[in-house]
Amino acid sequence: MRLPISVLDLAPIGRGQTPTDSIAASVALAQAAEQHGYRRVWYAEHHNMPSIASSATAVLIAHVAAHTRSIRLGSGGIMLPNHSPLVIAEQFGTLATLHPGRIDLGLGRAPGTDPATMRALRRNHVSAEAFPRDVLELLRYFEPDDGEFAIRAVPGAGLRVPVWLLGSSLFSAQLAAKLGLPFAFAAHFAPDLLLEALDVYRSRFEPSAFRAEPHAMVCTNVYAAESDAEAERLFTSLEQAFLALRSGRPGLLPPPIDRSRELDLAREASAQLFRYSIVGGRETVRRGIVDFLRLTAADELMATAMIFDHAARLRSFEILAEVRDSLVKSDESPPDAVQILGV
């Protein structure tokens, strides 16, 4: 068996780049991921963020799907309280009709933006409270039309598009367990409750028509390069972006830089935030993946990398695929790691 690894593409826009450049890079990354045997590529709904081009998530998925052949594509995630469940069912029902067997629908309950933009989206502060009800409504739209309900999703009814719940807290873990849905945890930016959320999800999981057993995917930052030093340099783009966001100055993704006093302070401040990030050359990445899977026993790993240079980002995911293949073929891993990897 092979280790399933997927990609979260945040469609980064770097300094000196345009959204057109970003979307073209996303297409190329998905094509490369398909070639290298990744399981799926997901895109996240964010609004009013200068460095991210995936705000119209369903439209981006449709574009990428038209330029790939087999890889699964989906949302990681659609922020459901920003939308009508019926509209999302129709959008993803259309995607699943155009690209059968290739579409995932990951759902989150955060706004994916700032308070002012929330208001522009016509979202109010209590929208998240309706999330469980909205998820149930959305799931119903994907069921076969039996004439019981007056409102149907067309396309959508009967397609049973795979729905995932996403989260960085215990709320979505509990809801995914209750509904018997697969669950994805965002350890790449909110790692604090990772292990507790996985335990809650697995221990409380109730089998359903969607899944007989729990299925947990964990997303973390993976920056791979030819050497540890080069990977660490690529990672400075994310560190700078974090520092700018924390300072109230979000902007385009900056190019990597050499170490500086300011960046060293940012690294100290972000040490806990990025504690599960895997950054290095092949052997460092290999050890990092084995340790991370031993820690989480994740059924699937999702990797993300906000790398400024497009070629370096493609190479990072190529190296990660090579590491994955070496792990699957290797008999050198400790027995517990081998069991987790499904080898």
Side-chain angles (χ1 to χ4, degrees), residues 56-70:
T57 314
V59 178
L60 180 58
I61 293 169
H63 179 66
V64 176
H67 289 82
T68 51
R69 295 182 177 181
S70 59

Side-chain angles (χ1 to χ4, degrees), residues 209-226:
F210 307 107
R211 290 203 68 88
E213 297 178 347
H215 185 91
M217 178 162 62
V218 180
C219 184
T220 193
N221 298 296
V222 180
Y223 285 63
E226 300 301 333

Side-chain angles (χ1 to χ4, degrees), residues 269-329:
S270 63
Q272 284 296 101
L273 180 67
F274 298 136
R275 62 183 177 273
Y276 294 127
S277 296
I278 300 170
V279 181
R282 286 175 179 78
E283 184 54 33
T284 299
V285 169
R286 184 183 189 280
R287 290 196 307 269
I289 290 175
V290 170
D291 290 344
F292 190 65
L293 292 173
R294 183 185 291 119
L295 177 71
T296 63
D299 300 294
E300 190 169 340
L301 175 67
M302 178 165 273
T304 189
M306 292 282 278
I307 295 176
F308 177 83
D309 181 73
H310 174 56
R313 188 164 71 135
L314 290 179
R315 184 60 180 146
S316 178
F317 282 103
E318 182 180 12
I319 292 172
L320 177 56
E322 293 169 357
V323 170
R324 174 205 61 203
D325 293 344
S326 73
L327 281 169
V328 170
K329 295 175 182 176

Side-chain angles (χ1 to χ4, degrees), residues 88-98 103 142 153-157 159 161:
I88 297 304
E90 291 171 338
Q91 288 178 0
F92 279 77
T94 300
L95 287 169
T97 299
L98 293 170
I103 302 300
F142 288 137
V154 183
L159 294 181
V161 176

Side-chain angles (χ1 to χ4, degrees), residues 11-14 16-26 50 52-54 60 252:
I13 308 172
Q17 301 168 0
T18 67
T20 300
D21 298 327
S22 172
I23 290 171
S26 288
I52 296 178
S54 54
L60 180 58
L252 300 177

